Amino acid sequence: MTTIAAVRGVLPGEPYEQGELTATFAELCLPPERRSVALVERFHRSAQVATRHLALPLERYRQLDGFTAANDAFLEVAVDLGVQAVSEALDAAGLDPADVDLIMSTTVTGVAVPSLEARIAARIGLRPDVKRVPMMGLGCLAGAAGIARLHDFLKGAPEAVGVLVSVELCSLTVQRDDPTAANMVASGLFGDGAAAVVAVGAEHRLAGTGPRVVDTVSHLYPDTDRAMGWDVGASGFKIVLGAEVPELVQIYLADDVKALLGAHDLEIGDVARWISHPGGPKVIEAIQAALGLERNDLLMTWNSLSRIGNLSSASVLHVFQDTLAERPAAPGDWGVLMAMGPGFAAELVLLQW
């Protein structure tokens, strides 16, 4: 089985208080005739985010004009953050860049060709024959999906090392002069950050040194393509965020989790650690209701949402790191790592310590 040898999350700069970001959003992103700070404050309070990190100093956002400038800023910051995340994860695992056989990157907040993992490989000295898999478009579920795809690769290459790197700079996608509810919600919920996972196959010398991936489940839900995603145009990435997302969680998630667990003669009560993407307060509450969990079961998720916001694909990896550090599991304990995102879809990973 695949072993998770290290997980490391990184954040740019110092955190900003939510109130400061609310005032700046109202100034920059709402047209003067619709500039209601009170309305924006209501949306931002409901996100239950206390602080967030930004890719750029706050004053620089006043200078960004259009998609080209935003994407240039993405490239400026994303590679540095990705290099930091991968380097720290490899160091934590006791591995060198030359040990990596596959590197997979995921982002949904910027466009890079060559892709992020190619730029990171050049910076940190990965082998010239390293296999590369860039993923674009999976959004919030890509942290879980990336671990699942590393597992798929390592089943066929049991002596290999695989790395997943996620970089999401959500602040660079917020739309100016857009008073829609979706834009106001997104501007109060999403933050910036990156994370990396190092995984090894069953025959690697590090096998068994961390939690093991036992199984995975992917589920693409029917007729839900407008629940979450981007409308891509001249101004860049405009958020699509449907009110039906918590309802979709209620409809589908329990059956998905039960199917994953049932294949191993397990039930929800057998799971000691729940590692969930923090989609937002209503989504987390829907997860708790669907699975019959208490707030304490998802405390790492709630804490991450408050401290750094929703980092899209990097969020579940930050929650994973926090869980390993603050709620270490006992040998033999079971865990479920899960995320949902555009498609609309879910990715679930069954772990055992």
Side-chain angles (χ1 to χ4, degrees), residues 186-211:
S187 70
L189 178 63
F190 290 96
D192 298 344
V197 176
V198 177
V200 301
E203 297 177 16
H204 191 274
R205 62 179 175 82
L206 294 179
T209 58

Side-chain angles (χ1 to χ4, degrees), residues 285-347:
E285 289 166 356
I287 292 169
Q288 292 174 184
L291 300 179
L293 303 179
E294 301 295 331
R295 183 182 178 95
N296 187 61
D297 294 314
L298 294 180
L299 186 61
M300 295 293 96
T301 295
W302 283 109
N303 288 350
S304 186
L305 177 67
S306 176
R307 189 176 68 253
I308 60 176
N310 182 339
L311 307 185
S312 190
S313 67
S315 260
V316 73
L317 305 181
H318 277 257
V319 175
F320 195 4
Q321 175 185 254
D322 295 344
T323 301
L324 293 172
E326 300 176 33
R327 285 191 164 183
D333 278 352
W334 294 93
V336 171
L337 183 147
M338 56 190 176
M340 286 143 282
F344 190 74
E347 289 281 346

Side-chain angles (χ1 to χ4, degrees), residues 86 90 96-98 100 103 117 120-122 124-130:
V86 173
L90 288 172
D96 295 323
V100 177
I103 183 166
E117 83 291 337
I120 292 167
I124 67 175
L126 298 185
R127 299 195 317 262
D129 68 341
V130 68

Side-chain angles (χ1 to χ4, degrees), residues 155-293:
K155 284 192 292 185
E159 297 179 354
V161 174
V163 172
L164 168 69
V165 57
S166 160
V167 184
E168 302 288 12
L169 306 183
C170 305
S171 68
L172 298 176
T173 70
V174 173
Q175 299 291 293
R176 295 172 184 250
D177 297 329
D178 178 5
T180 61
N183 196 40
M184 284 190 276
V185 169
S187 70
L189 178 63
F190 290 96
D192 298 344
V197 176
V198 177
V200 301
E203 297 177 16
H204 191 274
R205 62 179 175 82
L206 294 179
T209 58
R212 295 168 296 127
V213 178
V214 177
D215 201 357
T216 68
V217 163
S218 305
H219 191 177
L220 184 61
Y221 303 143
D223 302 318
T224 58
D225 58 295
R226 292 298 294 175
M228 182 182 291
W230 297 126
D231 283 332
V232 182
S235 64
F237 301 132
K238 184 174 182 179
I239 190 81
V240 175
L241 192 61
E244 69 270 27
V245 170
E247 181 181 358
L248 293 172
V249 173
Q250 291 268 28
I251 292 170
Y252 291 108
L253 183 64
D255 287 343
D256 289 342
V257 171
K258 290 175 182 176
L260 175 65
L261 296 176
H264 301 273
D265 297 321
L266 298 170
E267 298 179 350
I268 287 174
D270 295 317
V271 177
R273 295 292 181 270
W274 295 94
I275 302 163
S276 177
H277 170 74
K282 291 183 179 179
V283 173
I284 304 173
E285 289 166 356
I287 292 169
Q288 292 174 184
L291 300 179
L293 303 179

Side-chain angles (χ1 to χ4, degrees), residues 94-112:
L95 295 170
D96 295 323
D99 295 321
V100 177
D101 300 291
L102 170 96
I103 183 166
M104 181 182 303
S105 68
T106 183
T107 186
V108 76
T109 55
V111 179

